[in-house]
Amino acid sequence: MATGHNVHLLPQTDQLRAIHTIIRDKDCTREDFVFYSRRVIRLLLEAGMDLLPFTKKDITTPVGATYQGFEFATKICAVPVIRAGEAMEGELRDVHPGIRIGKILIQRDKRTKLPHLYYKHLPADIADRHVLLLEPMLATAGSALAAVDALLDSGVRENHIIMINFLSSPEGLRRVAQERPHVKIVTSAIEDRLNEHAFMIPGIGDFGDRFFGTTDSGANT
Ligand code: PRP
């Protein structure tokens, strides 16, 4: 198995597989792609927040009893990797309306597939926060690791980074585990392999293009 102890794969229920069946189909409409991928994004975000630290908190219920509960024990923020990571922002704001959001712009060279950091703008106190790093695609992991490096350069602790990832390749997961072993990854699917063009197989195509409607293919209009 390619996964390390810091890889959290969503339970592969029939329902989740059914959603993947809709959105991986090359003939899926863009409307369905956005609708169904957002359902998975919600699950990923909830699973990612499960990994944050909590402390005990007792409250009194309306019948006067004590409920022994928990509350968030940390400050958090989210950092989408532009552009595809921004597809996760809508769901994030639904589950956490006040969350601070930084931005990192990384684009791969279309030919070499190597990532380039163009821009970052992060909360001033990000070094004190846990970070949900929103990066839907983990293929070679070059983009994800460049984003992690940008966070580490800003003082974020490696074990405070939770990457919210939609689709992962075994190669990408192995590389993150080797180079940044304390980064946690939540993903909804682990693919079979990368092909010679660094595309995941069976894959989903270009997530950003399909979500934002910028694909050249007529199938997703
Ligand atoms: C895609 C995707 C990831 C990256 C994954 O970005 O959104 O950022 O590729 O590939 P890697 O693991 O091999 O680096 P792309 O550069 O196509 O830009 P986009 O976000 O605008 O779609």
Side-chain angles (χ1 to χ4, degrees):
M1 191 62 173
T3 59
H5 67 285
N6 274 333
V7 176
H8 301 263
L9 177 64
L10 289 186
Q12 299 294 292
T13 62
D14 288 351
Q15 181 181 210
L16 180 63
R17 296 287 301 268
I19 294 176
H20 269 266
T21 305
I22 294 169
I23 60 180
R24 287 168 183 262
D25 189 327
K26 66 179 175 49
D27 295 323
C28 177
T29 63
R30 193 164 84 83
E31 192 180 353
D32 275 354
F33 188 87
V34 171
F35 178 80
Y36 287 102
S37 62
R38 287 184 74 164
R39 286 186 54 192
V40 177
I41 288 166
R42 174 70 73 106
L43 297 174
L44 289 166
L45 289 169
E46 297 285 3
M49 288 193 288
D50 279 346
L51 302 176
L52 292 166
F54 289 80
T55 50
K56 289 188 169 154
K57 180 181 183 179
D58 290 354
I59 52 96
T60 305
T61 71
V63 295
T66 299
Y67 176 76
Q68 296 176 329
F70 287 89
E71 67 178 350
F72 263 144
T74 182
K75 294 197 290 185
I76 67 171
C77 74
V79 178
V81 178
I82 305 169
R83 168 189 62 153
E86 291 179 305
M88 295 178 159
E89 258 188 63
E91 297 306 301
L92 179 72
R93 285 185 187 277
D94 283 351
V95 294
H96 208 305
I99 193 167
R100 286 165 198 258
I101 299 180
K103 298 272 177 173
I104 292 178
L105 171 56
I106 291 169
Q107 292 282 287
R108 293 176 306 168
D109 182 287
K110 291 286 178 208
R111 192 177 52 80
T112 64
K113 306 293 181 200
L114 292 176
H116 183 73
L117 172 66
Y118 286 93
Y119 169 84
K120 72 171 178 176
H121 196 136
L122 304 170
D125 62 350
I126 195 166
D128 302 328
R129 292 176 182 271
H130 280 66
V131 178
L132 298 173
L133 179 61
L134 311 182
E135 168 55 290
M137 298 286 111
L138 192 71
T140 66
S143 307
L145 286 167
V148 168
D149 284 348
L151 294 177
L152 297 178
D153 285 349
S154 296
V156 178
R157 288 163 61 178
E158 190 179 312
N159 63 350
H160 285 185
I161 299 172
I162 300 169
M163 195 186 306
I164 308 294
N165 175 238
F166 204 103
L167 224 61
S168 322
S169 74
E171 294 87 340
L173 290 174
R174 267 197 297 272
R175 197 171 155 205
V176 175
Q178 273 162 10
E179 296 185 24
R180 299 294 175 202
H182 302 294
V183 170
K184 301 176 187 71
I185 302 177
V186 180
T187 188
S188 76
I190 300 174
E191 300 299 282
D192 294 342
R193 62 186 175 87
L194 286 181
N195 72 7
E196 62 278 18
H197 304 294
F199 294 147
M200 286 186 270
I201 303 295
I204 199 166
D206 187 310
F207 191 92
D209 275 342
R210 295 188 76 189
F211 192 93
F212 293 113
T214 50
T215 176
D216 291 337
S217 153
N220 303 305
T221 52

